[in-house]
Amino acid sequence: MTYDVAIIGAGVIGSALFRELGKYSLSTLLIEKENDVALGCSRANSAIVHAGYDPPTGTFMARFNVEGNKMYPKLCEELSVPYRMNGSLIVALTEDEMPQVHSLYENGLRNGVDGLRVLSQEETHALEPNLKESICGALLAPTGGIVGSYEFTTALAENGVANGGHVALNAEVVRIEKFTDADEPTTELTKHGGYFRVTFADGRSIKARYLVNAAGIYSDAVQQLVGKERFTVTARKGEYYILDKRQGNLVDRTIFMCPSKLGKGVLISPTVHGNLLIGPDAQDGLDKEDVSTSRKGLDFVRDMSRLLSDKVDFRDSIRNFAGLRALPNGKDFIIEIDPDVDALINLAGIKSPGLTSSPAIALYAVELLANCGLELKENSNFNPYRVENRFSEMTDEERIELAKKDPAYGRIVCRCEQVTEGEILDAIRRPLGATTLDGVKRRCRPGSGRCQGGFCGPRVLDILSRELAVPREKIMKDKAGSYILVGKTKEILE
C-alpha cells in the first residue's frame, strides 16, 4: 500500500495535522519512533495556551499563535480535552520593566490579540493578591489559557485514527528514498510524481506520495535523510515543579515575567487539573534525550519564582520533571515546502508557542500539501467529536447513573485523582489505546496525584495485563524497555 501522506513525528504538530487530514478522503499514516504519541516535547511543557502578545509581528510564530489561540475553545470541546481560558499576567518586577510591559501591549495589538490591558500596581494586586507586593504593574492578556497538553495531543491522534488514519509506533525512521512512479530511484528530487520509501530501524518500510517532517528536536536529522541540509535544531531543557492541589489556588491566572532572550522566564500557573506549576529554567546545548532534573536547575526555578510570589510552599511539591523544546537556528518556526525535495513539507523548530499554534499550523500545512499537488476531497463521514467520561468532574447524580450502566465506573482505582476502573478501561480500549502505566496516566491521570502511583500503580498494572492479555512482567512503565516487574521475588532470591 502507498499512503497519500505520511507524517513523521506524533507530537502535537504531527497529531494536529493527522487529525486535520482526516477531514479528507486520504490514506494517512502517522509515524512515531516511541511506543506512544506525545512522548517528546509534547509530553513535558508548561501546557499554556499563549495569547500572542510576545512573538515578533509578521512571523509564523505571531500569526499561528493568535490563530491557534482562537481555535482552542471549540477544538477542546469537540475532543473532550480539559481547557480553561484563565488569562495571563505579564508582570513588571521593577519600574524599569514597565516600558517593556507597554511594548508587549503594543506588539500584541499589532498581532491582533484581543482584550489586552496594562494594569497599575493596585489593579494587578487586586486581581492576584498573592503576588509579591513589590510588583509594579502588569499586562493583562485575558485570552491566555491552560490545557492538558498530553491529553490534547493524544486526543488529536485518536480522533485521526477514528476518522480512518493509521499509526505506526516503535517506528524510528532511519532511511528515506525518493522513487519515480516506475519504481526507479531518482536523484531529481524536485520532479513531480513518484513516491517516498521510508524505512524504519526494525527493517519495516512504507511508501507515501507526500511526506511531512514533524519530528520535533530530530526534524533536522529527518530532513537531512532525503534533502540538503537546510536548518539545525537543538534542544533547550526546562525544569519544573508540580505542587499539590492545596497550592492550586495560589493564583488564578498564569503569571509570567517579562520575557528575555532565553524565553518567557519562570512562570507560576494553575493547571487544568488543580495543581500549581512552576518553571521552567532554560539550559541549552544539551543531549536531545536529556530530561533529567538537577538540584541546580530546580533551585534556580524556586529562587526565581520568589520574585513573583513569596507564598509558594515548596514542601507541597509532589513531582519534578524536565521537558525539551526544539530550537531552530533561525528566529522563527520553519514551515515550508522543501525547495530541494518536492512533496516534502518541513514543520520544524516549533518552539514556544508551538502548542498554542499547532491547530493553525495544521491548517496551513494542508494548504502546503495542496500546493504540492495533493488532491483534497472532503470526507463526508468525518466526525470531529470524541467523548470522555471524567468521574472527578461529575455530580453525584451523574456518577450514580454512570455506575448503574457500568459498575466499573463505581470502582475507584486512584484515590488521589478520583479515577475509576471504567476510565482506565476506556483509556486502554480507545483507538490508539494505552499500553503502558504512563500511557494510562497521560490519558486519565491515575498516578498523577500526591502519592504518584504508590497505591494505584499495581492495580493499573493488573488491569493492563488483563486487558492486553499479556503477563504482568511484560507491562512497561513508559518507553520501550521500562519493565516494572522481572519475576516473583522468592524465585529471584532463590
Side-chain angles (χ1 to χ4, degrees):
M1 174 180 179
T2 300
Y3 293 95
D4 293 314
V5 184
I7 304 165
I8 302 174
V12 70
I13 303 298
S15 297
L17 176 58
F18 182 57
R19 184 207 186 235
E20 195 63 36
L21 289 173
K23 296 177 181 178
Y24 305 96
S25 296
L26 299 168
S27 58
T28 307
L29 178 68
L30 182 64
I31 300 169
E32 173 54 48
K33 72 183 182 73
E34 304 293 354
N35 60 3
D36 201 357
V37 302
L39 282 184
C41 299
S42 300
R43 87 184 282 184
N45 53 64
S46 302
I48 304 299
V49 180
H50 294 284
Y53 55 82
D54 182 36
T57 302
T59 61
F60 280 139
M61 290 190 295
R63 172 184 170 181
F64 296 131
N65 185 160
V66 175
E67 291 179 4
N69 174 282
K70 294 177 180 179
M71 296 172 68
Y72 258 80
K74 179 183 178 183
L75 191 53
C76 289
E77 182 179 2
E78 289 177 342
L79 295 174
S80 190
V81 169
Y83 163 78
R84 182 161 73 92
M85 190 183 292
N86 65 320
S88 56
L89 287 179
I90 304 86
V91 302
L93 301 178
T94 66
E95 285 290 349
D96 291 341
E97 289 186 342
M98 282 305 295
Q100 189 175 357
V101 168
H102 284 277
S103 177
L104 290 170
Y105 170 77
E106 296 293 340
N107 192 72
L109 293 182
R110 290 192 296 270
N111 289 349
V113 181
D114 296 328
L116 293 175
R117 187 158 62 95
V118 176
L119 304 181
S120 67
Q121 185 175 46
E122 293 76 16
E123 290 172 319
T124 300
H125 287 95
L127 289 179
E128 297 291 350
N130 287 320
L131 294 184
K132 202 164 183 180
E133 291 183 5
S134 58
I135 286 173
C136 299
L139 174 64
L140 172 63
T143 59
I146 49 180
V147 70
S149 58
Y150 25 78
E151 293 104 315
F152 184 61
T153 303
T154 302
L156 289 166
E158 180 185 305
N159 191 241
V161 173
N163 282 293
H166 303 270
V167 177
L169 299 174
N170 297 303
E172 181 181 0
V173 174
V174 295
R175 190 176 183 184
I176 302 174
E177 302 164 284
K178 188 85 183 284
F179 290 83
T180 67
D181 284 325
D183 292 337
E184 295 291 333
T186 178
T187 57
E188 297 179 21
L189 295 180
T190 59
K191 182 178 179 179
H192 285 280
Y195 64 89
F196 295 94
R197 183 168 69 192
V198 181
T199 303
F200 307 143
D202 61 4
R204 292 177 294 161
S205 65
I206 62 95
K207 296 178 180 180
R209 295 284 184 186
Y210 297 86
L211 195 63
V212 180
N213 170 20
I217 55 177
Y218 290 103
S219 53
D220 53 348
V222 167
Q223 188 271 336
Q224 291 166 31
L225 287 175
V226 65
K228 300 175 183 177
E229 180 178 337
R230 292 190 41 73
F231 53 84
T232 58
V233 176
T234 57
R236 172 174 287 170
K237 183 169 78 169
E239 301 184 33
Y240 295 83
Y241 282 88
I242 288 284
L243 278 70
D244 187 71
K245 292 181 179 180
R246 292 189 302 187
Q247 296 283 312
N249 293 323
L250 185 78
V251 294
D252 185 55
R253 295 158 188 82
T254 300
I255 312 301
F256 291 101
M257 298 176 171
C258 285
S260 71
K261 64 180 180 179
L262 291 177
K264 297 177 176 68
V266 171
L267 62 85
I268 298 178
S269 180
T271 72
V272 287
H273 305 294
N275 298 92
L276 190 70
L277 177 73
I278 301 178
D281 64 341
Q283 304 171 41
D284 288 346
L286 302 176
D287 184 272
K288 291 186 177 184
E289 295 293 326
D290 180 11
V291 291
S292 62
T293 57
S294 65
R295 172 53 55 194
K296 180 180 178 182
L298 293 172
D299 283 350
F300 174 84
V301 169
R302 184 190 61 215
D303 293 344
M304 291 298 289
S305 73
R306 287 174 175 158
L307 298 176
L308 297 173
S309 175
D310 53 12
K311 296 182 180 179
V312 179
D313 189 349
F314 282 90
R315 291 175 296 182
D316 276 332
S317 174
I318 62 172
R319 188 175 182 85
N320 302 118
F321 69 92
L324 299 175
R325 287 157 277 178
L327 290 186
N329 56 326
K331 295 182 179 181
D332 200 1
F333 297 156
I334 300 165
I335 301 176
E336 63 175 17
I337 301 171
D338 194 295
D340 301 309
V341 186
D342 186 55
L344 170 64
I345 308 296
N346 293 311
L347 307 178
I350 312 294
K351 57 181 180 178
S352 179
L355 176 64
T356 310
S357 303
S358 58
I361 290 174
L363 287 175
Y364 185 67
V366 172
E367 292 182 22
L368 294 181
L369 286 165
N371 291 340
C372 289
L374 178 65
E375 183 178 353
L376 299 176
K377 181 182 178 182
E378 184 178 345
N379 175 12
S380 59
N381 295 318
F382 177 75
N383 179 8
Y385 297 103
R386 170 185 176 273
V387 178
E388 183 171 345
N389 295 309
R390 293 192 182 87
F391 187 82
S392 63
E393 299 175 4
M394 294 179 178
T395 64
D396 287 343
E397 292 76 15
E398 289 171 332
R399 292 173 177 178
I400 292 169
E401 189 63 29
L402 185 60
K404 285 181 179 178
K405 294 179 181 178
D406 186 346
Y409 286 101
R411 294 191 285 270
I412 298 290
V413 174
C414 174
R415 290 177 287 175
C416 297
E417 296 294 309
Q418 293 290 289
V419 181
T420 65
E421 182 178 348
E423 292 165 272
I424 294 169
L425 292 174
D426 284 346
I428 297 169
R429 294 171 179 175
R430 284 182 175 279
L432 200 60
T435 60
T436 66
L437 250 69
D438 282 2
V440 173
K441 176 181 177 180
R442 286 189 294 273
R443 286 163 173 81
C444 63
R445 293 187 60 74
S448 299
R450 181 180 294 185
C451 83
Q452 289 291 295
F455 288 94
C456 64
R459 291 192 63 189
V460 176
L461 186 148
D462 285 342
I463 294 170
L464 277 164
S465 174
R466 183 186 73 215
E467 285 296 303
L468 301 177
V470 298
R472 288 181 294 174
E473 293 87 346
K474 297 296 183 181
I475 300 299
M476 289 176 283
K477 181 182 184 297
D478 193 12
K479 293 186 178 183
S482 59
Y483 297 104
I484 300 168
L485 303 177
V486 294
K488 296 182 178 179
T489 304
K490 290 184 178 179
E491 293 177 359
I492 293 173
L493 291 177
E494 290 174 0

